[in-house]
Amino acid sequence: MKQVFSSALFGAAMAALAFAASAKAEPTKPECLAGAKPGGGFDLTCRLAANALLETKQISKPMAVTYMEGGVGAVAYNHVIGKRGKDGNVITAASSGSALLLAQGKFGQYDENAVRWLGALGADYGVLVVAADSPYKSLGELVEAYKADPASFAIAGGGAVGSQDWMKGSLLAKAAGQEPKSMRYVALEGGGAVLTALEGGHVKVGSGDAAEMVKHHVAGKIRILAVMSPERLPGDLADVPTVHEQGFDIDWPVWRGYYVGKDVSDADYDWWVDAFKKASETSEFAKEREARGLFEFTLLGKDFEERVKTDVARFKILAKEAGM
């Protein structure tokens, strides 16, 4: 009887040790899925995780980055749900733009509850810009001018109607008491085209992100009138007032984050969240984030999941108000 009891105790102990080991084990083949071509925001987000986790020794093997373009992340979203729902090795890049598309039902039959949201490791912020020789020196002046003659204001953004840049422009229209759907919006291919249009005098206002506009602002080629952040941004944008400072209730953080399949185990999910947390607290990570033009914005686990769902709900209201 004593031998049987001892064997049972030994077996239970070994099982507990095995469970603990599996709960703490890093992925055997870490991979980040970027839902677009190389070089874009999803690629940047994957590279941030890949480099930071390796640099801070959270993973011992380099993380592979796989590209799956289509629908600005929709194809990757559906792929993870349909084929990699249990795969604890793979994380997928996402952004606040993903939440916006989910709010508009552009990821097909699936909503924001179809995956598990891991965390965000950085953010950019929306900006409204004008040409360097523009007569408008503040957001208030721009809003008043837009209110007086909205038809004369062409607003350029790096995305189609309904995109993040379009939505930022629509917030300007709303602030001026105008209908967003009547806004003269010029859809261009990325921030570079927006800058060219501004400098050439083809549009009066540009909608974009701080990281892509700051160098041109410092060089005197354009003027950033406002940043859509809760507080002033550091560095070269420290002198640019926020939208709130200028009397308007507008925020637009462009967070960069990750999700895993809905059926990934709690142990695997918790491993990723813990790895992100440990990495994000290091100076090595801060350098990786800064090198990609991102600002501090760390939100992990349940807090991030709640943020995503809150954003989707907010974007649904904004899209409805904008006539989308």
Side-chain angles (χ1 to χ4, degrees):
M1 177 65 72
K2 185 181 292 187
Q3 184 177 0
V4 171
F5 181 70
S6 298
S7 297
L9 276 179
F10 178 77
M14 292 303 293
L17 286 171
F19 175 80
S22 66
K24 296 180 180 179
E26 70 176 86
T28 55
K29 296 180 179 180
E31 177 185 359
C32 187
L33 183 59
K37 294 179 180 179
F42 289 146
D43 188 12
L44 176 152
T45 307
C46 278
R47 296 293 175 185
L48 173 62
N51 287 24
L53 291 175
L54 189 63
E55 184 71 20
T56 59
K57 298 180 172 55
Q58 301 305 310
I59 55 176
S60 56
K61 303 173 184 176
M63 175 182 283
V65 176
T66 305
Y67 302 96
M68 184 175 289
E69 63 180 293
V72 197
V75 171
Y77 198 78
N78 281 263
H79 171 77
V80 170
I81 294 166
K83 296 186 177 180
R84 307 191 73 173
K86 296 181 180 180
D87 192 344
N89 285 292
V90 64
I91 61 176
T92 306
S95 73
S96 52
S98 306
L100 177 60
L101 292 173
L102 283 165
Q104 297 178 50
K106 293 187 177 181
F107 276 13
Q109 62 179 306
Y110 300 112
D111 64 10
E112 67 276 12
N113 299 303
V115 299
R116 302 186 73 177
W117 299 92
L118 284 174
L121 292 181
D124 199 353
Y125 290 91
V127 293
L128 291 174
V129 303
V130 295
D133 60 356
S134 170
Y136 311 114
K137 302 295 193 298
S138 71
L139 184 58
E141 292 178 2
L142 177 62
V143 168
E144 287 303 312
Y146 188 97
K147 184 186 297 184
D149 188 12
S152 69
F153 280 81
I155 302 175
V161 171
S163 67
Q164 291 198 84
D165 281 357
W166 186 89
M167 293 297 292
K168 290 174 224 165
S170 78
L171 294 174
L172 169 63
K174 283 181 63 182
Q178 304 298 315
E179 285 291 332
K181 60 185 177 183
S182 63
M183 175 178 61
R184 284 186 60 199
Y185 181 74
V186 181
L188 300 173
E189 287 292 329
V194 172
L195 289 163
T196 300
L198 273 174
E199 293 171 16
H202 305 298
V203 297
K204 289 188 177 181
V205 183
S207 173
D209 298 326
E212 66 183 349
M213 298 291 182
V214 61
K215 292 180 181 179
H216 304 275
H217 172 78
V218 172
K221 295 181 179 180
I222 60 164
R223 184 185 306 126
I224 298 178
L225 294 183
V227 293
M228 297 179 179
S229 57
E231 299 176 351
R232 290 201 184 194
L233 299 178
D236 291 330
L237 292 177
D239 292 333
V240 178
T242 68
V243 174
H244 288 279
E245 286 180 75
Q246 300 181 69
F248 301 94
D249 187 19
I250 299 173
D251 276 326
W252 202 280
V254 185
W255 49 256
R256 298 289 179 185
Y258 312 85
Y259 62 85
V260 293
K262 183 72 173 178
D263 297 321
V264 162
S265 70
D266 288 344
D268 286 339
Y269 178 86
D270 291 343
W271 186 91
W272 283 110
V273 171
D274 187 54
F276 283 166
K277 183 178 186 299
K278 290 176 179 176
S280 68
E281 294 171 346
T282 66
S283 59
E284 292 88 349
F285 170 77
K287 291 176 183 177
E288 292 287 347
R289 183 184 61 215
E290 184 178 349
R292 287 160 180 79
L294 298 178
F295 301 95
E296 184 175 356
F297 187 90
T298 303
L299 209 56
L300 302 172
K302 291 182 179 180
D303 290 337
F304 180 55
E305 183 173 347
E306 289 176 6
R307 174 55 185 259
V308 173
K309 292 179 179 179
T310 298
D311 278 356
V312 171
R314 179 169 65 96
F315 290 149
K316 284 180 179 179
I317 294 172
L318 287 175
K320 185 176 181 180
E321 290 176 347
M324 297 300 296

